[in-house]
Amino acid sequence: MINNADDCLIIVDVQNDFCSGGALEVPAGEEVVPVINQLVDKFAHRILTQDWHPVGHYSFASAHPGKSPFETVELDYGTQVLWPDHCIQGSDGAEFHPDLEIVGAELIIRKGFRLSIDSYSAFTENDQMTPTGLSGYLANRQFRRLFLTGLATDYCVFWSALDARRAGFEVVLIEDACRAIDMDGSKFRALDQMDAVGVVRVAATDL
Ligand code: VGL
Ligand code: ZN
């Protein structure tokens, strides 16, 4: 099924803060690590994304007096969920999971580094306007199909999948290589919306 020239494996935000014991743990987030490690050698090309926030980032509840994590706030670009402080630039929490096989990755794209804009998607920040540069890179590399893995299914993987479709890529979600935060049914909604825009869902064992 994998076509080496056209396909790129994208590993989204497999960082310590999104794994058990991390600042913004995704339930069983670290379970994606062995699944992804089994996949990396099947692809000729792999890239990583890394959530990479400055101290005091506007997506942190701590930056909004009186607010708690998982509440929302209105920012210039609309409603933003507030998170515990996480993936702070240079911190251990922002490092990739120590067991993740990252040596062969060709690009690490960092996102969420602008103080006042969050970026779930690896393509476009949450203002829906500011590009990360990834679509240009992938087009320049002449990839046509993107296989998405990582954390979290219903946030960064989801928004990346939608933007990838919008940018004209075929998108395959490797479902068991992802885990969700799953707040108020957000996982189900994300899968439903990905289906609606033509994201194909497979299991790692199908590849
Ligand atoms: C993410 C919330 C905040 C993610 C990143 O990687 O899904 N979620 N920052
Ligand atoms: Zn973040």
Side-chain angles (χ1 to χ4, degrees):
M1 181 189 185
I2 297 164
N3 176 331
N4 284 339
D6 292 347
D7 291 344
C8 185
L9 178 69
I10 301 191
I11 303 167
V12 176
D13 297 1
V14 182
Q15 294 166 259
N16 291 327
D17 272 341
F18 297 125
C19 295
S20 295
L24 174 42
E25 50 185 9
V26 177
E30 64 285 351
E31 287 180 7
V32 303
V33 172
V35 182
I36 293 171
N37 287 350
Q38 289 284 330
L39 286 168
V40 288
D41 288 336
K42 298 187 175 172
F43 288 84
H45 307 288
R46 315 131 198 139
I47 72 164
L48 303 168
T49 74
Q50 190 172 27
D51 210 39
W52 195 248
H53 299 305
V55 170
H57 192 253
Y58 284 22
S59 77
F60 297 168
S62 63
H64 303 272
K67 288 287 189 180
S68 304
F70 311 108
E71 292 180 0
T72 59
V73 74
E74 294 306 315
L75 297 183
D76 289 345
Y77 53 80
T79 305
Q80 169 69 46
V81 178
L82 295 174
W83 306 105
D85 292 18
H86 65 279
C87 295
I88 292 178
Q89 297 172 357
S91 68
D92 284 345
E95 292 301 311
F96 295 110
H97 187 287
D99 299 332
L100 184 69
E101 189 54 59
I102 62 169
V103 175
E106 296 169 0
L107 176 77
I108 298 172
I109 185 124
R110 289 173 166 168
K111 60 184 181 60
F113 51 75
R114 286 188 179 79
L115 185 67
S116 61
I117 314 179
D118 203 2
S119 189
Y120 296 147
S121 167
F123 294 86
T124 310
E125 300 192 11
N126 287 14
D127 61 358
Q128 308 292 331
M129 283 170 45
T130 306
T132 65
L134 182 59
S135 62
Y137 173 87
L138 294 171
N140 198 238
R141 296 285 315 273
Q142 301 189 323
F143 295 128
R144 293 182 44 245
R145 190 166 57 161
L146 310 178
F147 287 72
L148 294 184
T149 63
L151 308 170
T153 317
D154 42 352
Y155 284 91
C156 290
V157 175
F158 168 64
W159 288 102
S160 298
L162 292 197
D163 282 346
R165 290 294 295 141
R166 214 169 281 140
F169 296 99
E170 288 179 48
V171 177
V172 180
L173 180 79
I174 308 176
E175 247 188 297
D176 53 336
C178 303
R179 289 292 182 281
I181 295 174
D182 204 12
M183 290 198 293
D184 309 320
S186 56
K187 180 184 175 185
F188 177 82
R189 277 199 306 279
L191 293 174
D192 205 46
Q193 286 187 57
M194 285 191 275
D195 288 346
V197 299
V199 172
V200 173
R201 290 198 249 159
V202 301
T205 47
D206 296 337
L207 300 173

